[in-house]
Amino acid sequence: MKPQFFFNGLTGFKLSKLLLRNPRILPNLSRSSSFTVSSSAALIQDLPSTFEAKASPLQSPQFGEFLLNLKPGVALSIFNNSLALGLRRDLASYVAIVCILFASDHRHKLVSLFADLVSSKPGVDFSFPDLFDTLSRFLNRSGKLLFVLDALIRAFTVCNKPREAFDAVVQLAGRGFVPSPKSCNFLLNFMVESSDFELVMAVFEQMKSFGMSPDAYRFTILIKALCRGGKFDAAFIVLEEMKETGVMPDVITYTTLIEGLCASGKSETGSALLQTIIQKGVPVDSVLYGKVISGLCKELRLQEAEKLLQDMVKRDVPADAFSYGCLIRGYCTTGNAADLLRALELYDEMVSKYISPNYFVVSFILQCFSKRGMDSEALGYFQMFKVSGGYLDKVLYNFALNAHCKLGNMDDAIELIEEMKGHGIVPDKIHYTILICGYCRNGEMYNAQKVFSSMVKLNVEPDLVTYNVLVGGFCKHGFVKEAYELMDYMIERGLEPNAVTYSVAIENLCKGRHLKEAKELFKGLKRRGLLKK
């Protein structure tokens, strides 16, 4: 017996119109695998009379009935396109589509469905409590409703609506629909990410009213929120409250508090707390040590950070590249020669312990060498890292390339560019600009211009820095005409020469003893009103 479709109530609505608007659904129309005709009819007939259509003939609760007689995928497709079809998504249709998705293997699509509903409010003429009141008549198991409620809460997070999420949870709880502890924890963490401390506290208190005793996870989320708000005194009070309620803080709780302290410039307090929990026998790993060491190094409390690194070794906590990297970066940052020496000693110590340095650590050292003009040393460490099989990126090649160019090793610089290409690393405008700068420094303007031309041909767009370097090179070595032509070319490319461009040109004309040209350019700028009075 063929299934009967319920179109009688759709006054003025013809199935043919629907199929003409969306002919792709025609081959897929069949009875739902999850709902029989009789169950569909029972569901729709049982909907309250308040769901009756109020406007056009197409705005009818029979739309929900129609959906229930389709395959789940087809029903969802029609529902998603219902506005284009002239159908209103009313309470009946939402109840129908939720039941369809839940009864089939499409529960994962509930979040996106509710996200659409959350985004469309207040255009919807029913409330979430109304929706769940009706759903409870068909999804009569509490576990099913909890699943749907969980999807709704996650939809609010997808739409980034923390306040609306809290209001909906309170309203639903007032009708007896209380979310699961898992959903509440998810909501609480979402409130923390939204940086609304008042909402965090409101959710925390609401969970208590649900009869959910705070556990270590919820206390930890609360501490996380307090730390983000800079309320560290309150965070320590919550820590004590945990103990008083019989909930012992775990390593995650302590890590959250210590990380918050260190991120806020209170690394000394974080270090003291670390020592306290170690004495209490709380297991501590290299990650937690690393957070404190990182914080101390950012505050340039380098001796304290080193003591902590030594304490790690003493307690058989394996030191890692992160902890060593923080110290090396800290010592490199000071710019002091003795500190640079200490950074190199730590690097050697790290390697001797078979801790592979990552490219971040190497970049700190190369950058320090570069700033101090120690280009040969930079190349030595670059080569050592390369031989060890370390990962090389554009930044590390950038330091090495710059060192070669500053030393005048242009053949080696070109060889390095080819090596990059061989490893699948495409040189960018920074690398080409460094090459141009190197050739300009050596007075090899033909090669500098050749590199520039290669950039343009490879669609690597030069920026102001590139142009300024080449203009300066031309001016310094007496190629005044070429400098002017390059500035004209800049304008053609939609890039106006700026004050730096002219300043570089005049300065380098003077350096190249082309004083006449420098004066003419200066006068020209003055006539054009480009000089500040």
Side-chain angles (χ1 to χ4, degrees), residues 85-372:
L85 294 170
L87 294 168
R88 184 181 55 136
R89 297 176 184 177
D90 57 6
L91 180 53
S93 60
Y94 268 103
V95 169
I97 199 66
V98 169
C99 289
I100 289 170
L101 293 177
F102 197 93
S104 65
D105 292 327
H106 294 77
R107 297 183 188 182
H108 60 285
K109 294 184 179 179
L110 284 171
V111 175
S112 60
L113 174 75
F114 284 137
D116 182 65
L117 176 58
V118 167
S119 299
S120 65
K121 278 186 168 293
V124 178
D125 60 358
F126 60 86
S127 67
F128 290 115
D130 290 338
L131 176 62
F132 275 79
D133 272 339
T134 310
L135 284 171
S136 66
R137 303 170 65 180
F138 307 105
L139 304 176
N140 47 23
R141 287 188 194 170
S142 60
K144 293 181 179 179
L145 280 175
L146 281 177
F147 187 93
V148 178
L149 182 51
D150 176 70
L152 176 61
I153 290 173
R154 290 179 183 273
F156 276 109
T157 67
V158 169
C159 298
N160 195 27
K161 293 181 178 289
R163 174 68 62 178
E164 293 84 349
F166 176 72
D167 291 342
V169 167
V170 171
Q171 291 171 12
L172 287 162
R175 296 278 188 94
F177 303 109
V178 177
S180 67
K182 181 180 178 181
S183 290
C184 285
N185 288 342
F186 182 83
L187 181 62
L188 188 62
N189 205 36
F190 171 56
M191 298 306 178
V192 173
E193 297 303 320
S194 71
S195 300
D196 192 329
F197 180 69
E198 290 184 4
L199 275 180
V200 173
M201 292 303 301
V203 173
F204 190 80
E205 293 301 321
Q206 193 69 39
M207 292 174 73
K208 287 183 179 179
S209 72
F210 294 159
M212 300 177 189
S213 300
D215 55 13
Y217 180 78
R218 285 171 212 148
F219 272 120
T220 300
I221 293 177
L222 185 56
I223 288 172
K224 181 180 178 181
L226 289 165
C227 289
R228 288 195 174 186
K231 304 177 186 295
F232 293 103
D233 290 341
F236 276 102
I237 291 172
V238 171
L239 190 66
E240 292 305 314
E241 184 183 338
M242 285 183 69
K243 301 171 187 176
E244 291 172 3
T245 56
V247 179
M248 294 308 298
D250 56 19
V251 67
I252 298 175
T253 307
Y254 285 117
T255 299
T256 300
L257 181 51
I258 290 172
E259 184 176 17
L261 288 164
C262 294
S264 300
K266 299 179 181 295
S267 300
E268 186 177 10
T269 305
S271 181
L273 180 57
L274 176 62
Q275 294 300 326
T276 299
I277 66 174
I278 288 173
Q279 291 171 7
K280 289 183 177 181
V282 177
V284 176
D285 59 10
S286 58
V287 174
L288 187 48
Y289 267 108
K291 291 183 183 299
V292 181
I293 289 173
S294 175
L296 290 170
C297 289
K298 286 177 182 177
E299 297 171 29
L300 294 181
R301 308 172 78 100
L302 302 175
Q303 285 73 31
E304 295 173 52
E306 271 209 67
K307 287 180 181 178
L308 213 52
L309 184 66
Q310 293 165 6
D311 190 61
M312 287 179 70
V313 177
K314 179 182 175 182
R315 297 183 185 279
D316 293 326
V317 177
D320 55 12
F322 178 78
S323 297
Y324 272 103
C326 290
L327 275 163
I328 290 170
R329 182 179 186 179
Y331 280 117
C332 287
T333 301
T334 67
N336 186 293
D339 286 342
L340 173 57
L341 181 61
R342 182 57 188 148
L344 298 179
E345 289 173 350
L346 285 168
Y347 182 88
D348 292 339
E349 179 183 314
M350 178 179 165
V351 173
S352 69
K353 292 182 177 180
Y354 301 101
I355 301 172
S356 298
N358 54 43
Y359 75 101
F360 290 111
V361 175
V362 178
S363 68
F364 299 149
I365 294 175
L366 296 186
Q367 185 180 37
C368 190
F369 281 142
S370 179
K371 287 180 178 179
R372 298 180 66 84

Side-chain angles (χ1 to χ4, degrees), residues 29 33 49 84 91 114 246 252 261 293 351 391 397 448 454 504 506:
L29 288 173
S33 60
S49 59
L91 180 53
F114 284 137
I252 298 175
L261 288 164
I293 289 173
V351 173
Y391 169 73
Y397 272 109
S454 297
V504 166
I506 293 171

Side-chain angles (χ1 to χ4, degrees), residues 7 14 25 75 88 156 191 200 230 234 240 259 306 320 348 360 363 374 416 419 441-442 444 450 462 467 471 500 530:
F7 300 113
K14 299 295 184 182
I25 69 172
R88 184 181 55 136
F156 276 109
M191 298 306 178
V200 173
E240 292 305 314
E259 184 176 17
E306 271 209 67
D320 55 12
D348 292 339
F360 290 111
S363 68
M374 302 172 66
L416 206 59
E419 181 183 305
R441 188 183 286 111
N442 287 358
E444 301 178 48
K450 188 177 178 182
Y467 282 109
V471 166
V500 176
L530 297 177

